[in-house]
Amino acid sequence: MTSRTHALELAAAHFDSGAFRGWLATAVAHPTESQEPERQAELQRYLDDFIAPYVASLGFSSRRLDNPVAGKGPLLIAERIEDPTLPTLLSYGHGDVVRGDASRWREGLAPWTLVEQGERWYGRGTADNKGQHLLNLAALEQVIAARGGHLGYNVKLLLEMGEEIGSVGLRTFCQEQRQALAADLFIASDGPRVSASRPTLFLGARGTFNFDLHLDLREGGHHSGNWGGLLANPGIILAHALASLVDAQGQIQVAGLKPTELPAPVRRALADIEVGGAPGDPAIDPHWGEPGLTPAERVYGWNTFELLAFTTGNPEAPVNAIPGTARAHCQIRFVAGCDCTTFIPLIEAHLAERGFAAVRVTRAKDEILHASRLDPENPWVDWALTSLTRTLGEKPALLPNFGGGLPNDIFADILDLPTLWVPHSYPACSQHAPNEHLLAPVARQGLQLMAGLFWDLGDRWSRN
């Protein structure tokens, strides 16, 4: 039997049989912590011993390649070419994870062991991102079987092992491997849905720009009883400098650090999006951020300025001394259309105009993730929504871009691809925290959604 319905039935059966759970358990057992230099061998083993044999069983040839940046995680390119004249799909995932942080997991749980408790499957990487790219491969496997061994198009897979440290080297790698990664469409999965109950399609990501503010007034501290009222306090000055950049309601005060407008297609796409409200979600502060915007527009359609850390003196052991220095680590999340290369000059000029010229502004060492999004009115968006709706029986949420950072701009700008993301996690999955987990119902549904997409892609391309 060859039909879309059969492909969806195979996807459900694959999940219900425990086959997918077994693959995920094997993946989780690899401690692929890219933040730990001693785990380099584990990063290679995940690709060589797990991914390469798995994709080979689906008809892919693969090769592991070194990262262009010395000491960073390797990458894998796999391809399944049915006919070089056919269109090609590129997919992506990352096999690295954040630190396991084993001592902080709940009793009975461990980062490198898949533990099932009710609908939750615990383990590091279950949600970010091993579970997600394995779901996509499993869906592809079922569609290949349902179509009698053929898809009607080619597939390429790019798997990196350094996303959790900012995808260092990925940009250069894709520039160097542009021909090997040439394709017609990009579909991948990462990040959370809007909510556990609402499947989601997003088209890009906000950018991430981290920077530091420094104020160095003198060497060492000086007794506050002897010198208080005579020596300027760098912590107080830096606090006022920060207050000039963003006000007490979180509204950015530097015009150039914000987008000039919220495009009409983005506003329309976000009109039915509700943020938060699920068990475990923090309560939204209704008056925080840019006024005149809905919560969804603030997090998906606008820029935000965040103070991530502020130090002066010794917070762990304060003494009666006026500190000599103060530091603030800040972040701007920005949407497509904003040029992050202008951020530091704009901040420097703003501070100088307000009497804070002594505050130095430096870019942090973190990799910049640039903002990008596919136009919500692009024909591929309507195609994907139609496919997902056909499988679901109802329309999924459409986000012009993910609120967090992803290397989407590399695929959109360097590889020049329409980018579609279908996440298989949810906001309370505890990614990057102890007790990370995947929700079994979301995973099962995600497997069927991807099987429907991959099936429909063959139908679309066969008509062209």
Side-chain angles (χ1 to χ4, degrees):
M1 179 171 60
T2 301
S3 70
R4 187 182 197 274
T5 299
H6 183 48
L8 298 185
E9 290 172 346
L10 288 178
H14 181 76
F15 188 91
D16 296 342
S17 70
F20 175 75
R21 187 188 184 284
W23 280 111
L24 183 56
T26 302
V28 167
H30 289 265
T32 52
E33 301 164 294
S34 56
Q35 296 161 322
E36 302 292 351
E38 65 272 17
R39 293 297 200 188
Q40 281 294 313
E42 292 291 347
L43 303 182
Q44 294 181 11
R45 274 193 285 271
Y46 183 77
L47 297 180
D48 293 345
D49 300 346
F50 179 63
I51 291 295
Y54 180 24
V55 298
S57 71
L58 306 184
F60 285 79
S61 60
S62 65
R63 54 197 174 110
R64 173 170 58 83
L65 298 164
D66 291 336
N67 195 305
V69 178
K72 302 304 179 182
L75 302 100
L76 177 138
I77 295 177
E79 57 181 17
R80 185 182 187 276
I81 306 298
E82 292 188 1
D83 184 334
T85 64
L86 290 173
T88 299
L89 169 70
L90 175 65
S91 193
Y92 158 86
H94 65 90
D96 67 312
V97 297
V98 298
R99 293 183 178 91
D101 205 9
S103 65
R104 297 177 59 210
W105 286 59
R106 200 172 66 235
E107 185 177 355
L109 304 179
W112 316 121
T113 302
L114 186 68
V115 177
E116 186 175 350
Q117 294 184 355
E119 295 183 338
R120 295 184 174 192
W121 294 1
Y122 290 92
R124 181 62 83 215
T126 50
D128 188 18
N129 171 259
K130 293 175 179 178
Q132 303 219 37
H133 65 253
L134 291 178
L135 274 170
N136 292 355
L137 288 172
L140 199 65
E141 179 181 1
Q142 308 319 307
V143 174
I144 292 170
R147 283 196 181 274
H150 300 281
L151 289 168
Y153 54 92
N154 306 315
V155 182
K156 295 179 180 180
L157 171 68
L158 171 62
L159 204 65
E160 69 161 318
M161 301 301 291
E163 194 272 349
E164 298 295 3
I165 55 171
S167 294
V168 177
L170 181 63
R171 181 178 303 277
T172 300
F173 180 85
C174 288
Q175 289 170 333
E176 294 174 349
Q177 300 292 331
R178 182 167 181 160
Q179 186 58 42
L181 296 170
D184 300 281
L185 177 67
F186 175 93
I187 298 178
S189 301
D190 204 348
R193 298 172 163 192
V194 169
S195 67
S197 61
R198 192 170 189 196
T200 301
L201 172 70
F202 66 84
L203 312 178
R206 285 201 298 182
T208 306
F209 184 85
N210 288 12
F211 63 98
D212 296 297
L213 303 179
H214 315 252
L215 183 55
D216 302 310
L217 297 186
R218 63 188 69 86
E219 288 289 333
H222 294 269
H223 194 282
S224 58
N226 297 333
W227 297 98
L230 303 177
L231 299 181
N233 188 307
I236 292 173
I237 295 172
L238 190 56
H240 282 273
L242 282 162
S244 80
L245 294 168
V246 58
D247 71 11
Q249 284 74 47
Q251 182 180 358
I252 297 173
Q253 300 298 293
V254 184
L257 301 184
K258 300 189 290 186
T260 56
E261 64 173 354
L262 185 66
V266 173
R267 190 181 292 275
R268 284 194 293 270
L270 295 174
D272 68 342
I273 302 299
E274 295 184 9
V275 181
D281 286 349
I284 291 174
D285 295 307
H287 303 297
W288 185 262
E290 187 71 17
L293 300 180
T294 68
E297 289 168 349
R298 277 181 261 153
V299 73
Y300 299 121
W302 208 251
N303 294 3
T304 58
F305 183 112
E306 303 297 344
L307 174 60
L308 304 181
F310 186 109
T311 56
T312 189
N314 185 347
E316 286 73 33
V319 295
N320 293 323
I322 301 165
T325 64
R327 299 281 185 277
H329 185 64
C330 307
Q331 180 185 81
I332 297 174
R333 296 276 184 173
F334 61 100
V335 296
C338 297
D339 182 3
C340 66
T341 64
T342 67
F343 289 171
I344 287 181
L346 284 167
I347 292 168
E348 289 175 331
H350 174 91
L351 292 176
E353 288 173 4
R354 283 152 183 79
F356 301 111
V359 176
R360 289 189 299 116
V361 188
T362 62
R363 199 188 117 187
K365 295 179 180 179
D366 311 66
E367 191 84 356
I368 295 175
L369 294 178
H370 295 271
S372 62
R373 68 162 76 99
L374 182 64
D375 184 345
E377 297 181 346
N378 184 285
W380 278 113
V381 178
D382 182 66
W383 169 82
L385 288 174
T386 300
S387 173
L388 297 172
T389 300
R390 185 179 176 190
T391 301
L392 282 171
E394 58 183 279
K395 183 182 176 182
L398 172 63
L399 299 181
N401 48 258
F402 177 50
L406 286 171
N408 186 75
D409 68 291
I410 294 174
F411 311 119
D413 299 336
I414 293 176
L415 301 182
D416 195 26
L417 295 173
T419 53
L420 305 171
W421 295 81
V422 183
H424 306 314
S425 184
Y426 79 116
C429 68
S430 298
Q431 69 179 86
H432 292 194
N435 310 323
E436 178 182 347
H437 60 277
L438 185 69
L439 278 185
V442 170
R444 187 180 189 274
Q445 186 183 60
L447 206 160
Q448 290 189 295
L449 289 171
M450 299 309 293
L453 272 175
F454 294 147
W455 181 279
D456 292 341
L457 190 57
D459 287 349
R460 177 185 172 102
W461 272 333
S462 68
R463 293 193 299 267
N464 293 344

